[in-house]
Amino acid sequence: MRRHATAALGAEPEVVGVSFWADSALLAATGIPTVLFGPLGEGAHAEVEWVDVESLERCVEIYGAASVELCR
């Protein structure tokens, strides 16, 4: 079994719920497991929206590691 990309980088994923709807719900409704993953921040699509840069940089590392793992 493949290691989770964040575990391979020395971190365990944090699972949280969110209060917004995303089109990933359409996939989930058909039985396809889905995940939303991204940097920490607040105010998505609001007048004041921000992203934590350190978290964004970490996501770039994780996206890269996941891509490498999926393309093996």
Side-chain angles (χ1 to χ4, degrees):
M1 181 177 216
R2 292 181 179 173
R3 289 178 60 191
H4 191 277
T6 57
L9 292 171
E12 289 299 319
E14 179 183 356
V15 178
V16 298
V18 294
S19 62
F20 56 83
W21 186 87
D23 51 352
S24 57
L26 299 172
L27 296 172
T30 67
I32 299 170
T34 62
V35 64
L36 296 176
F37 179 81
L40 299 173
E42 292 286 334
H45 309 297
E47 187 175 328
V48 177
E49 178 177 358
W50 61 271
V51 173
D52 177 79
V53 174
E54 185 177 323
S55 174
L56 177 62
E57 291 169 342
R58 186 72 173 146
C59 285
V60 169
E61 292 176 29
I62 293 167
Y63 297 148
S67 298
V68 168
E69 186 67 26
L70 289 169
C71 293
R72 285 187 178 182

